[in-house]
Amino acid sequence: MESGRPAAKGAAAKRPAVKTIVIDCDPGIDDALALALAHGSPGLEIAGVTTVSGNVSLARTTANALALREYLGFPEVPVVPGSARPLLRPPINAAGVHGDHGLGGVRLPEPALPPAPGHAVDFLIDTLASRPGEVTLVAIGPLTNVALAVRKEPRITEWARELVILGGSYTRGNVTPAAEFNMAADPEAAAVVFGAGWTVTMIGLDVSRSALATGPVLDRMRALGRLGTELLAPCAEFYGMVTATEGPAIHDTCAVAYLVDPSLIEVQPAVVEVETAGRLTSGMTVVDFELAGRAPNALVGTSLDVARFWDLTLSAYARVRPTARSLSG
Ligand code: RIB
Ligand code: CA
């Protein structure tokens, strides 16, 4: 039994075609639950995790990614640190939401293994170059690393199998009325990424706001055993108020769930541009579904099948066996 994941019972379970992914993230509570979902999904193979400054500092997002890698059970996957700050602006953070540590009150055992050498930008370029057309990039934090990679090697827009992001909104933001956090944290990077010539699959707040960890969802998480009681439920409860019908939106998991089963999320072609100059609208993803003859640069999520999303996500969590005890705070 490989560490962290149960062996297939009986005859080798028929594995769906495996999608190789690299996750660029800023753990972060919902990033942590997205990493667990990716690891527990038999149809996904994590080829690497890159970290970026976002919810908390790069040092913290990287430390959290290293600790999650060992706790969840994928110690062989490289974790590569990236940008410590946005392209132009001073960093903002979401420590008020994720806690200064970045995982709420959860304290995972200190990681024993170090990050991989080198920079995330070079790791992204080298990984996409080595397997053109095969690797999907999923970015669930500010897009600083992705933008720098595109600027350094524009051909990654051809080499990536697809780019899926959690970010943006065509309705309301969550940092300002106009801007969602990942876009607001580095609007210039987001503008570079949307303007690079590939098709960005944008899973925004319009979709992820439906992914609520309600009381019944948390009960299902706790019923999974240690992963649920040590990580999933404590993280979700720190992330927001939980009632029978309401709860925090676990945003980042939606981008990973889309990779597992794209039918969970309806997407529409659109032209997306990112505001970088507005005093009140900086970081706004200006989404135009009326193409009027223009070529779309994005597929934008418009709705989530919530029941199937949680069924898929909790089934994946059930496959994860924590390999070390968390010290929940
Ligand atoms: O707006 C939600 C996004 O911002 C998520 O990726 C969350 O982790 C924060 O980074
Ligand atoms: Ca994130």
Side-chain angles (χ1 to χ4, degrees), residues 26 30-31 55 98 140 166 174 180-182 205 251-252:
D26 61 334
D30 55 334
D31 303 71
N55 288 318
H98 297 260
I140 55 177
L166 188 286
N174 59 0
E180 175 276 328
F181 178 83
N182 288 335
L205 298 179
H251 300 286
D252 288 337

Side-chain angles (χ1 to χ4, degrees), residues 7-329:
K9 292 188 178 59
K14 185 175 178 330
R15 286 180 69 109
V18 173
K19 192 176 280 187
T20 302
I21 67 174
V22 174
I23 304 173
D24 188 71
C25 57
D26 61 334
I29 283 173
D30 55 334
D31 303 71
L33 272 64
L35 288 169
L37 170 56
H39 178 55
S41 298
L44 299 181
E45 173 211 11
I46 308 174
V49 173
T50 52
T51 55
V52 66
S53 164
N55 288 318
V56 288
S57 69
L58 177 68
R60 280 289 353 133
T61 62
T62 304
N64 289 335
L66 291 169
L68 285 160
R69 169 176 75 165
E70 292 182 28
Y71 176 76
L72 295 171
F74 49 93
E76 73 288 351
V77 172
V79 171
V80 194
S83 306
R85 54 166 301 142
L87 296 184
L88 296 180
R89 300 169 190 241
I92 64 172
N93 66 66
V97 174
H98 297 260
D100 292 337
H101 196 77
L103 296 180
V106 172
R107 296 293 179 269
L108 297 176
E110 282 301 308
L113 302 172
H119 193 283
V121 169
D122 297 314
F123 178 83
L124 293 175
I125 293 169
D126 294 346
T127 304
L128 294 172
S130 65
R131 297 170 62 180
E134 292 182 22
V135 179
T136 292
L137 177 52
V138 51
I140 55 177
L143 294 173
T144 316
N145 291 338
V146 180
L148 289 170
V150 159
R151 278 284 187 267
K152 184 170 185 180
E153 179 46 88
R155 290 178 292 175
I156 67 168
T157 63
E158 302 158 22
W159 295 336
R161 174 174 172 173
E162 57 184 323
L163 169 65
V164 179
I165 75 166
L166 188 286
S169 170
Y170 58 84
T171 51
R172 196 187 191 284
N174 59 0
V175 173
T176 68
E180 175 276 328
F181 178 83
N182 288 335
M183 305 297 104
D186 197 341
E188 286 73 21
V192 166
V193 170
F194 277 98
W198 46 11
T199 298
V200 181
T201 298
M202 176 183 128
I203 310 296
L205 298 179
D206 320 286
V207 166
S208 64
R209 279 200 176 102
S210 305
L212 301 180
T214 61
V217 168
L218 263 65
D219 291 343
R220 293 169 71 183
M221 289 177 172
R222 292 189 192 95
L224 297 172
R226 282 184 48 219
L227 182 75
T229 57
E230 293 177 357
L231 180 73
L232 303 176
C235 273
E237 288 175 309
F238 188 96
Y239 205 26
M241 173 72 73
V242 177
T243 68
T245 55
E246 293 298 320
I250 315 297
H251 300 286
D252 288 337
T253 52
C254 296
V256 174
Y258 176 81
L259 296 174
V260 179
D261 181 354
S263 73
L264 288 175
I265 297 175
E266 186 175 333
V267 296
Q268 300 290 338
V271 174
V272 179
E273 296 172 276
V274 182
E275 175 60 63
T276 57
R279 182 172 63 85
L280 301 175
T281 55
S282 175
M284 178 177 181
T285 46
V286 181
V287 179
D288 190 353
F289 292 106
E290 298 295 326
L291 298 176
R294 293 175 295 169
N297 66 336
L299 290 171
V300 177
T302 56
S303 66
L304 174 70
D305 184 329
V306 175
R308 284 205 302 128
F309 163 78
W310 282 119
D311 288 347
L312 177 146
T313 299
L314 287 153
S315 298
Y317 288 155
R319 294 177 50 82
V320 176
R321 295 287 178 274
T323 55
R325 282 216 168 273
S326 119
L327 316 167
S328 295

